[in-house]
């Protein structure tokens, strides 16, 4: 008999419409961006979004890190396995995001902000590099009252595994805390992605508070270095960082796994229940 996975996976992040374009390095310099940035938009970045549309033949793509992850997961899982939470506006961009999710079979549980537009993310592609600038807009209005409403909390209670991006610390730390504590109390799997180096740098206290409840932590080599610095681990060796983070205090007896990717290079995996740090080419 097939396993019942209805609603088993729940994710939280910022649902954003990606504005993607191949650009020249001059545009990066104009907006003081690096080739592989992942940053929040400042006021000086706001004209960039229209510039991409007007001058660079930009494509509009469904985005949001966890929403894309769950869309991919749902394509591989039985029907109705995944549910995504986040905040959008009452506009055409939100309908585009929902349409893409619907096509993949992903159920969305959006909080709708009637006053702000759906967030966008500029993707500036130069060669093999991609710089991301996010204008959260409605996404940053997500509030814990949405997920804790009885009808929505039912999705949390039904789930077995939770995936939340570090980006969400900037939006609703209270929602992360509520879901993490539920997972801990009910022996469910709680996972997070570091998402960007600024998360470890500017939300260190949030990461430290949540880490004991995290069963699986994902990140890349840049985020791993930022985390090592923020937590004062005293090493930049990615294998040692992975193992030291895995071995940090845990709120339960369940082991913690840390997975650090390195682009086209090897992936490093460490776990609190093993002395071996595994490296996958």
């Amino acid at each position: 008999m097939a396993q019942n996975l209805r609603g088993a996976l729940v994710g939280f992040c910022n649902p954003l419409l990606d504005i993607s374009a191949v650009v020249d390095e001059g545009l990066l310099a104009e907006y003081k961006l690096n080739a592989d940035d992942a940053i929040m938009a400042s006021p000086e970045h706001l004209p960039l979004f229209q510039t991409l549309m007007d001058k660079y033949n930009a494509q509009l793509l469904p985005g949001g890190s966890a929403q894309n992850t769950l869309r991919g997961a749902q394509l591989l899982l039985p029907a109705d396995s995944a549910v995504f939470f986040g905040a959008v506006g009452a506009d055409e961009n939100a309908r585009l995001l929902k349409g893409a999710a619907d096509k993949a079979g992903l159920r969305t549980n959006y909080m709708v902000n009637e006053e702000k537009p759906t967030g966008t993310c500029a993707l500036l592609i130069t060669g093999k590099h991609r710089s991301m600038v996010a204008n959260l807009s409605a996404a940053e209005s997500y509030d814990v009252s949405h997920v804790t409403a009885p009808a929505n909390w039912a999705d949390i209670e039904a789930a077995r595994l939770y995936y939340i991006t570090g980006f969400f610390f900037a939006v609703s730390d209270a929602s992360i805390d509520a879901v993490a504590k539920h997972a801990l109390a009910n022996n469910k799997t709680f996972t997070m992605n570091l998402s960007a180096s600024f998360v470890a740098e500017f939300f260190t206290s949030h990461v430290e508070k949540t880490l004991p409840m995290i069963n699986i932590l994902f990140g890349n080599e840049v985020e791993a270095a930022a985390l090592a610095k923020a937590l004062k681990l005293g090493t930049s060796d990615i294998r040692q960082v992975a193992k030291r983070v895995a071995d940090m205090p845990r709120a339960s007896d369940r082991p913690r796994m840390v997975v650090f990717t390195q682009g086209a290079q090897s992936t490093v995996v460490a776990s609190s229940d093993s002395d071996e740090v595994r490296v996958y080419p």
Side-chain angles (χ1 to χ4, degrees):
M1 178 181 290
Q3 188 177 14
N4 180 12
L5 294 179
R6 183 177 178 85
L9 171 62
V10 164
F12 287 76
C13 190
N14 304 315
L16 307 175
L17 187 70
D18 288 343
I19 303 174
S20 178
V22 176
V23 304
D24 51 72
E25 293 183 1
L27 187 65
L28 296 182
E30 180 181 347
Y31 286 94
K32 300 178 181 178
L33 299 171
N34 297 311
D36 287 308
D37 270 342
I39 66 171
M40 299 293 189
S42 299
E44 60 267 25
H45 294 125
L46 296 183
L48 170 64
F49 297 85
Q50 193 59 48
T51 297
L52 293 178
M53 296 299 297
D54 293 342
K55 298 182 179 180
Y56 288 90
N57 193 30
Q59 290 182 291
L60 298 180
L61 305 170
S65 176
Q67 185 166 230
N68 282 348
T69 298
L70 263 66
R71 282 199 301 132
Q74 182 56 75
L75 289 170
L76 300 172
L77 293 169
D80 301 321
S81 294
V83 184
F84 174 79
F85 282 77
V88 297
D91 54 23
E92 180 59 26
N93 286 352
R95 287 186 282 275
L96 289 173
L97 290 177
K98 187 177 186 308
D102 289 346
K103 186 176 180 180
L106 172 64
R107 181 159 64 87
T108 54
N109 195 332
Y110 291 145
M111 188 189 92
V112 179
N113 187 321
E114 301 283 348
E115 299 178 356
K116 289 186 175 182
T118 297
T120 51
C121 183
L123 303 181
L124 289 77
I125 300 169
T126 52
K128 297 180 180 179
H129 303 282
R130 180 186 65 176
S131 189
M132 299 187 295
V133 184
N135 179 22
L136 298 185
S137 197
E140 66 183 346
S141 68
Y142 191 87
D143 189 81
V144 67
S145 62
H146 178 262
V147 67
T148 55
N152 298 329
W153 191 252
D155 284 334
I156 305 303
E157 292 182 329
R160 307 178 204 175
L161 186 149
Y162 309 91
Y163 176 75
I164 306 182
T165 64
F167 293 129
F168 215 60
F169 278 129
V171 171
S172 184
D173 177 53
S175 297
I176 296 174
D177 196 52
V179 174
K181 287 179 177 176
H182 170 81
L184 176 64
N186 292 276
N187 197 33
K188 298 178 179 180
T189 303
F190 182 76
T191 75
M192 287 200 72
N193 195 314
L194 288 170
S195 301
S197 58
F198 78 80
V199 173
E201 182 179 359
F202 296 113
F203 296 92
T204 308
S205 62
H206 298 69
V207 174
E208 290 178 321
K209 179 184 69 173
T210 309
L211 186 57
M213 297 182 282
I214 296 176
N215 303 121
I216 306 175
L217 180 68
F218 300 96
N220 64 27
E221 74 278 19
V222 176
E223 296 151 9
L227 184 64
K229 184 177 180 180
L231 298 181
K232 299 180 174 60
L233 298 183
T235 181
S236 59
D237 182 281
I238 194 167
R239 299 187 191 190
Q240 293 185 35
V241 173
K243 183 56 178 166
R244 292 186 188 184
V245 174
D247 288 342
M248 292 183 78
R250 307 187 314 279
S252 73
D253 293 332
R254 299 185 65 173
R256 177 185 301 123
M257 179 183 292
V258 176
V259 181
F260 288 147
T261 61
Q262 301 181 92
Q265 305 304 312
S266 57
T267 295
V268 176
V269 179
S271 180
S272 59
D273 62 353
S274 173
D275 292 332
E276 180 186 8
V277 177
R278 289 163 287 170
V279 179
Y280 297 93

